[in-house]
Amino acid sequence: MTGGGLRGARVLVPRAGAWGERVRADLNSRGAEAVLAPLISSAPPRDTAARDRAFAALADGAYAWLFVTSAASVEQLRQHDVAIPATTRIAAVGRATARAVADAGWDVDFVPAGASSATALAAQWCADRLPAATGRALVVRSDLAQAVVSDELEVRGFAVDVCIAYRTVGVDLDPAVAEDLGSGDIGVVLLTSLSVGRELRRQVGTLPASTLVASIGPGTTRDASALGFTVGHTAQSQSIDALIAELDARVPLEKSS
């Protein structure tokens, strides 16, 4: 069931890959026109040898816990055909990342309650565990992600390694898409990260007042506001699925028309 709030809206989907295709399908099923135009992409890390060593150690069973803080991290593991042993448990930062883990065929053993954040993940995971009774952990992340999880685990005495699995790089928009954003012909923009916001600001600048900027969560809204964007809607659960559902429930959606 859909609420109809997205019907007829042109919506910018700022990431490609399996994530982007899934979001596009969801939007189109609600009567929107999804404009798939990635603003960011993943590139190999500067130290690929270190990444490969970490992935090999993970596959060899060196880690009791694997922490993933984004769907992009999961995608890197999939692209490199990393076989995660049954003895390694997985902690995901939130429902969207947990879904990516499940889609990859792995079980999710821990997801923090409430809003998705690295701070919540680390604090809640540490709350019921002791370093002496917990094996070594590996945190897989991008070069731009803050070291919140690994720092918190280390401070509390847990054994933890960090794998920089990929770099986040900007992608230039198709000129026609940039023009449509500048003119307001694309009426809804999905902001999913600080990196997306930075690229949007760099390539398009100020968006028309009629454009609805929709943020995936409170942290992204704060970042977007600091960049000069006026966010019209913020998802409460740091989930792209929730964000789309909330937008579709708006009657009417502040257009897009």
Side-chain angles (χ1 to χ4, degrees):
M1 295 295 292
T2 67
L6 284 170
R7 190 170 296 117
R10 298 189 73 205
V11 184
L12 182 77
V13 180
R15 285 172 48 196
W19 183 95
E21 292 299 336
R22 179 170 65 83
V23 171
R24 174 159 63 179
D26 191 3
L27 288 166
N28 289 346
S29 74
R30 297 172 186 270
E33 179 189 344
V35 180
L36 187 59
L39 282 156
I40 59 173
S41 183
S42 299
R46 300 190 188 284
D47 192 343
T48 56
R51 176 204 61 197
D52 293 345
R53 287 194 299 271
F55 282 178
L58 174 62
D60 287 343
Y63 296 102
W65 279 91
L66 167 65
F67 285 79
V68 285
T69 57
S70 70
S73 293
V74 178
E75 185 62 26
Q76 289 298 310
L77 292 164
R78 294 183 67 174
Q79 286 181 7
H80 289 83
D81 296 322
V82 179
I84 299 179
T87 53
T88 301
R89 303 175 70 185
I90 301 177
V93 72
R95 287 183 297 169
T97 303
R99 177 172 177 169
V101 173
D103 288 346
W106 303 316
D107 293 330
V108 181
D109 297 281
F110 185 87
V111 181
S116 303
S117 73
T119 299
L121 171 62
Q124 293 181 31
W125 184 88
C126 290
D128 298 325
R129 292 173 178 81
L130 296 174
T134 306
R136 197 166 195 87
L138 178 69
V139 179
V140 175
R141 62 176 178 83
S142 79
D143 62 325
L144 296 182
Q146 295 182 335
V148 174
V149 174
S150 55
D151 283 356
E152 185 67 16
L153 266 62
E154 190 171 24
V155 165
R156 294 185 183 226
F158 291 92
V160 58
D161 294 330
V162 175
C163 170
I164 305 300
Y166 64 99
R167 290 182 295 123
T168 300
V169 296
V171 176
D172 289 338
L173 288 171
D174 183 292
V177 173
E179 182 178 349
D180 285 352
L181 283 166
S183 68
D185 284 345
I186 294 176
V188 184
V189 171
L190 302 180
L191 278 188
T192 56
S193 68
L194 173 58
S195 298
V196 166
R198 284 173 172 163
E199 284 300 313
L200 187 64
R201 188 66 170 170
R202 178 180 72 84
Q203 297 188 46
V204 181
T206 303
L207 294 171
S210 60
T211 301
L212 175 62
V213 177
S215 162
I216 199 170
T220 302
T221 294
R222 288 192 296 271
D223 292 336
S225 297
L227 289 170
F229 293 110
T230 299
V231 176
H233 185 87
T234 302
Q236 297 306 303
S237 60
Q238 197 75 20
S239 162
I240 189 63
D241 300 320
L243 176 59
I244 293 172
E246 291 168 15
L247 290 174
D248 196 36
R250 294 165 65 105
V251 183
L253 182 66
E254 284 99 334
K255 211 146 170 162
S256 166
S257 61

